Amino acid sequence: MGVKNTMTAVIRAHAEQRYQDQLHRLKAADTALAPPGWALSPGAVRRFICGDTALDIPRKYYGEDALVERAIVSLMGNNGLMLVGEPGTAKSMLSELLSAAISGNSQYLIQGTAGTTEEQLKYSWNFALLLSGGPSLEALLKSPIYQAMEQGKLARIEEITRCPQEIQDVLISLMSEKSLSIPELGIAIQAKPGFNLIATANLLDRGVNDMSSALKRRFNFETVPVLKDPALERQLILSQVSQRLADEGQDLKLDEALVDLLVQVFHDLRNNMGSQAMEATLSTAEAVNIVHGCALHSLYWQQPMHAAQLVQQMHGTLIKDKADDVKKLAHYLDAVARDRPGWQDFFLAGKALWMR
């Protein structure tokens, strides 16, 4: 175990940067037909996401391969792709991986919020140039969707249901006509082959800004489920945390027994074993954050990973401002964890924090 004094250029590289070598290997070996505008064939895109042992391409998405295949097929057609699911189910990660493999660029991204405007979806103006010379292409500020249409790439919209419905509906004509009108210049930008749209939405936001039926018809919907297989979840946690540590230039062997314990705790709590349903998401993404936190604690305090770290990270990651969840965790400790073989350290650490 050790800490390397390595300064990385960025905290988090884009997928096409992080996996550049893998994409190059896939491209070199790809002899299949690729749709117009795509950097890789559909089969190579699938192998990039689901893994290819022959080319030393590790799996990145630990879910149903069939879902990945359907998503790829959707993006070959006229409709966009809508990924819906609970928070923390890797919707954004899957969207980024698809964009990196298909377009070689995952950066045409819009974050949906209550304050998202029509200009952010289409275009705006450099007002200094606009006032000095009037409307012109030089004065135009292109949105990520505009740039994606112009270059034949995929654009991404995160949390689309956070946008007001009238802003969402701006996408209807963009997706059906595959063009963007600029009335001030009397022109329209027509999308090049390869353009499409991937949107994500959280099921917890259902009802916030419901999508119109007209917009829904422009998307193929895929539900990204919570990972329920403990073995796959364990594999994903180990893979993701190891990748994070490697990106940070750190060298640490993860305590796999501690990961197994966390996976079992999450599995129990999701199934309300010994407790009522918690308000916390209990997603695999949260589990990754917990183990990563334990690893950082271990690295910088120069001590082995242990159950007390796990409890502390669970508290900071899951509880947030949900006081009732503390009571539910305390009940789980008393009803389930207390008598489990090998769980004594976890029980005692949790008791000190949750059973006061």
Side-chain angles (χ1 to χ4, degrees):
M1 177 175 72
V3 179
K4 296 180 181 178
N5 293 321
T6 303
M7 291 295 291
T8 54
V10 295
I11 293 175
R12 182 187 181 278
H14 300 296
E16 61 272 19
Q17 299 168 330
R18 195 179 324 133
Y19 304 118
Q20 185 179 58
D21 290 344
Q22 296 179 31
L23 290 168
H24 284 166
R25 290 201 298 275
L26 283 163
K27 180 69 174 177
D30 193 9
T31 58
L33 182 66
W38 283 36
L40 296 173
S41 69
V45 174
R46 181 193 183 281
R47 293 195 295 277
F48 172 68
I49 296 171
C50 300
D52 183 339
T53 54
L55 290 175
D56 192 26
I57 308 292
R59 174 180 287 273
K60 301 170 188 66
Y61 174 71
Y62 290 80
E64 298 177 5
D65 290 359
L67 184 151
V68 176
E69 291 177 5
R70 292 195 304 270
I72 293 169
V73 172
S74 291
L75 292 170
M76 287 190 280
N78 288 325
N79 278 6
L81 172 65
M82 176 68 66
L83 299 173
V84 300
E86 301 290 340
T89 49
K91 301 181 298 297
S92 298
M93 183 188 75
L94 182 55
S95 166
E96 182 184 12
L97 292 172
L98 286 164
S99 297
I102 291 171
S103 296
N105 189 334
S106 64
Q107 299 170 48
Y108 297 126
L109 172 67
I110 295 170
Q111 178 63 52
T113 70
T116 300
T117 64
E118 181 175 345
E119 288 76 16
Q120 289 172 301
L121 296 183
K122 297 170 71 176
Y123 60 88
S124 57
W125 298 97
N126 179 319
F127 285 106
L129 292 177
L130 186 66
L131 291 173
S132 64
S136 66
L137 286 175
E138 290 73 25
L140 200 67
L141 300 177
K142 303 172 183 178
S143 74
I145 292 177
Y146 186 122
Q147 294 176 70
M149 294 178 74
E150 195 174 43
Q151 298 179 33
K153 306 291 186 182
L154 293 179
R156 304 161 55 208
I157 300 183
E158 292 288 307
E159 315 288 1
I160 190 171
T161 48
R162 288 285 175 183
C163 301
Q165 190 177 82
E166 62 271 19
I167 301 302
Q168 295 177 28
D169 285 346
V170 170
L171 298 172
I172 294 174
S173 62
L174 295 180
M175 296 182 68
S176 57
E177 302 299 327
K178 298 294 190 291
S179 68
L180 192 162
S181 176
I182 308 174
E184 298 90 339
L185 298 179
I187 62 173
I189 300 300
Q190 294 179 293
K192 291 184 178 179
F195 168 74
N196 212 329
L197 197 63
I198 307 176
T200 66
N202 281 327
L203 291 177
L204 292 185
D205 291 336
R206 184 173 283 165
V208 175
N209 292 298
D210 285 333
M211 295 173 64
S212 66
S213 52
L215 183 56
K216 286 180 179 178
R217 288 199 303 272
R218 270 69 179 183
F219 284 99
N220 292 340
F221 280 65
E222 289 292 343
T223 299
V224 183
V226 174
L227 197 56
K228 294 182 178 179
D229 184 335
L232 275 180
E233 185 164 34
R234 175 187 188 275
Q235 190 177 355
L236 174 57
I237 293 168
L238 290 170
S239 170
Q240 289 285 305
V241 177
S242 296
Q243 182 65 56
R244 286 190 188 182
L245 293 171
D247 290 345
E248 295 161 1
Q250 311 297 358
D251 178 22
L252 173 70
K253 181 174 174 57
L254 297 174
D255 186 331
E256 296 189 16
L258 206 64
V259 175
D260 291 340
L261 190 154
L262 178 64
V263 169
Q264 186 60 55
V265 169
F266 267 45
H267 182 76
D268 292 344
L269 292 172
R270 286 173 188 150
N271 291 283
N272 303 333
M273 184 180 294
S275 175
Q276 294 177 315
M278 292 183 62
E279 291 184 53
T281 306
L282 297 173
S283 67
T284 303
E286 299 283 31
V288 169
N289 289 335
I290 290 168
V291 175
H292 185 225
C294 290
L296 293 176
H297 191 153
S298 178
L299 274 168
Y300 289 101
W301 268 258
Q302 292 291 292
Q303 57 186 231
M305 295 175 69
H306 53 79
Q309 294 173 348
L310 192 66
V311 168
Q312 294 290 342
Q313 293 301 320
M314 283 180 64
H315 189 85
T317 303
L318 299 180
I319 299 303
K320 304 190 191 318
D321 60 349
K322 301 178 177 69
D324 285 347
D325 277 355
V326 175
K327 299 176 184 177
K328 293 168 186 175
L329 282 171
H331 186 70
Y332 170 77
L333 282 176
D334 194 47
V336 177
R338 180 190 293 273
D339 298 322
R340 276 216 175 134
W343 282 38
Q344 192 65 16
D345 289 345
F346 176 74
F347 169 76
L348 292 174
K351 179 181 177 181
L353 190 59
W354 300 324
M355 297 177 70
R356 299 181 208 178

